[in-house]
Amino acid sequence: MLRVLTHPTYRRLFTAQVLALLGTGLATVALGLLAYDLAGADAGTVLGTALTIKMVAYVSVSPLVGAVAARLPRRVFLATASALRAVCALGLPLVDEVWQVYLLILLLQTASAAFTPVFQATIPDVLTDEGDYTRALSLSRLAYDLESLASPLIAAALLTVVGYDTLFLGTGAGFLAASVLVLAAHLPGTRGDGAPARTGSPLGVGPFLRVPRLRALLAMNLAVASATAVVLVNTVVIVRDGLGREQSAVALALGAFGAGSMAVALLLPRVLERAGDRTVMLPAGFVLALGLAGAALTLSASAGATAWLGVLACWLLLGAGTSLVLTPTGRLLRRSGGPHPLPTLFAAQFALSHACFLLTYPLAGWLGARAGQPLTLGVFALLALASAAAATMLWRDRVPTRAA
C-alpha cells in the first residue's frame, strides 16, 4: 500500500491531508469540551447544532465548487481555503458565548466545503492507475482515521498538561502546513496555471438518480450518517454524564471508533481486488445497525466498567462499518460518472452524503437530551437498518466482480 507514496505529487498531497486531519481531530475533542464548559449537560444539543451548521455549509457550498474551482488555479484555490480554515480555528479559543462558536464553525466549514471535494477529485487526476488509486483510497481512509484515533490520543496526552483551548492552536497549525504543501505540489492533468482542464455542470446529481449503485450509495450514506452522528454528538455526554468518566475518556472513546475504521482500511485493498465494491459495501449498513443496537443494550443493561468496555467495543464496530462504506466510495464514483467531470461528481457526493447529517446531527443531540441515550441509540439502529435494506434493494446492477 505504501508504495504509492513514491509518487512525489501524491506524497505532498497525502502529507497535507494528514496534517490537516490531525488538526481537525484535535478540534473535535476540544470542541466537545468547549461545548461542555459552555452548556454542561446540554453539550449534546450545542454540538448537534454546531454540526448541523457544518452540514448546512457543506450542502449549500459544495455543489457549486465544481464550477467555481474549474475557473480558478487549483493549487491557489485549495491553499486559500485551507488558510481560511486556520484563521477560524485560531479564533475558537477566544469565544465565551455559544453563538460565537456557531459563527466560527459556519465560516470554517464553508472553507472546508470548498476544499474537500476539489482535493478528493484531484487524487484520481494524479494517480491514473486503478491499483494505485485503490491504495490511495485506503491511505486516505487511514488519514481520516487519524482524526478519530491518533488525534484523540494526542489530545488525551496534551490535556494532562494544557487546557483544551490549546488544542485549537494545533488545528490552525495543521491547516497552515497543508496550505504550504498544496502550493508545493504539481498537479498533472491541469492547465499550466494549475486549474482543472475539465468543466461541467456544478451539480452532477444526475448520475445518483440514474445509476442503481449510486442510488444505493445514497442509502448507505444515511447509514453512515446515523452511526457518525451518535459518535460525534453523543460520545461526550455518554462518557461524562452517563458513565461518569474523565475528560481523557472522551478521547479514548473517539479513538476506539477510529481504530475500527483504521483496521478495515488496512485490509481493504486486497479484499477489494478479490470481492469488489458491492460485496464489501452492502453488508456494512447492517454492521452499523448492529453496533448501534449493541450500544443501546449495553447502556440499558449494564453500568460501570462493564458499560464502559461495551461502549468501546460498539464504537470499534461502528468505525469498522463506516470504513467499509467510505473507503471504496471513490472507486464507485470514478466508475459510475460517465462523461461527468470528477470534481463535479465528487462535489455532488460530498453534498448529498452530508445532507444526511442535516437529519442525523440535530436528531442525535435533541433526542439524546430529551429521551436518553439508550433510546436514542435504538432509534438510530433502526434508521441504519432501514438504510442498509434500501441499499440492498437498490443496488441491482451486477457488473464483473472487480468492478462491482
Side-chain angles (χ1 to χ4, degrees):
M1 184 193 301
L2 294 179
R3 72 183 185 189
V4 72
L5 292 175
T6 59
H7 193 293
T9 298
Y10 176 70
R11 185 169 61 247
R12 290 189 181 94
L13 294 176
F14 179 72
T15 304
Q17 184 183 27
V18 168
L19 291 174
L21 287 171
L22 280 171
T24 301
L26 294 178
T28 299
V29 175
L31 186 60
L33 296 172
L34 174 61
Y36 191 79
D37 263 4
L38 293 175
D42 289 330
T45 301
V46 173
L47 281 175
T49 303
L51 292 171
T52 301
I53 292 171
K54 170 182 175 178
M55 293 306 109
V56 170
Y58 280 6
V59 172
S60 60
V61 172
S62 55
L64 305 176
V65 166
V68 174
R71 291 166 174 79
L72 296 173
R74 189 182 291 185
R75 287 192 298 270
V76 174
F77 180 89
L78 290 170
T80 301
S82 192
L84 289 174
R85 294 192 295 181
V87 171
C88 296
L90 292 173
L92 281 168
L94 307 177
V95 307
D96 55 11
E97 299 285 345
V98 171
W99 70 266
Q100 296 167 352
V101 175
Y102 294 158
L103 176 61
L104 286 174
I105 291 297
L106 174 62
L107 296 175
L108 190 155
Q109 301 304 339
T110 297
S112 290
F115 178 91
T116 304
V118 175
F119 183 90
Q120 291 174 337
T122 298
I123 304 305
D125 283 340
V126 171
L127 300 173
T128 56
D129 178 76
E130 175 76 10
D132 284 344
Y133 182 51
T134 299
R135 297 181 191 97
L137 287 174
S138 286
L139 279 177
S140 179
R141 186 67 247 155
L142 291 174
Y144 277 104
D145 292 335
L146 289 174
E147 183 179 350
S148 299
L149 179 59
S151 291
L153 294 178
I154 293 171
L158 290 174
L159 286 171
T160 64
V161 293
V162 300
Y164 66 80
D165 53 342
T166 305
L167 302 182
F168 290 119
L169 301 181
T171 301
F175 288 148
L176 288 175
S179 293
V180 173
L181 285 165
V182 168
L183 284 174
H186 173 69
L187 306 183
T190 63
R191 297 195 300 270
D193 62 357
R198 296 180 292 178
T199 61
S201 164
L203 295 179
V205 177
F208 285 87
L209 302 178
R210 293 191 300 269
V211 179
R213 57 184 174 270
L214 293 186
R215 291 201 298 269
L217 178 59
L218 291 178
M220 287 184 282
N221 286 336
L222 184 56
V224 168
S226 300
T228 306
V230 166
V231 170
L232 295 185
V233 174
N234 292 352
T235 293
V236 66
V237 179
I238 291 171
V239 172
R240 298 284 280 142
D241 276 2
L243 300 177
R245 304 190 80 85
E246 62 280 358
Q247 287 186 358
S248 59
V250 176
L252 292 176
L254 294 173
F257 178 78
S261 180
M262 183 174 288
V264 168
L266 285 169
L267 296 173
L268 270 184
R270 291 184 179 180
V271 174
L272 288 170
E273 288 179 359
R274 297 192 301 269
D277 301 333
R278 188 179 192 273
T279 303
V280 167
M281 296 174 75
L282 283 182
F286 298 100
V287 171
L288 294 172
L290 178 63
L292 290 166
L297 291 173
T298 295
L299 293 179
S300 299
S302 61
T306 301
W308 169 236
L309 293 175
V311 167
L312 289 179
C314 290
W315 263 221
L316 189 76
L317 188 61
L318 292 176
T322 298
S323 189
L324 286 170
V325 174
L326 295 181
T327 302
T329 293
R331 288 161 46 105
L332 206 64
L333 292 174
R334 188 162 78 165
R335 289 179 172 137
S336 304
H340 297 271
L342 284 180
T344 299
L345 194 59
F346 274 82
Q349 160 63 7
F350 189 79
L352 292 169
S353 62
H354 286 87
C356 297
F357 290 102
L358 283 176
L359 167 66
T360 59
Y361 275 149
L363 182 60
W366 179 86
L367 195 59
R370 287 160 179 77
Q373 298 304 326
L375 179 58
T376 300
L377 288 161
V379 169
F380 276 83
L382 291 175
L383 183 58
L385 181 62
S387 301
T392 302
M393 290 186 291
L394 287 168
W395 199 332
R396 296 297 189 186
D397 57 331
R398 294 186 177 274
V399 291
T401 301
R402 290 173 60 89

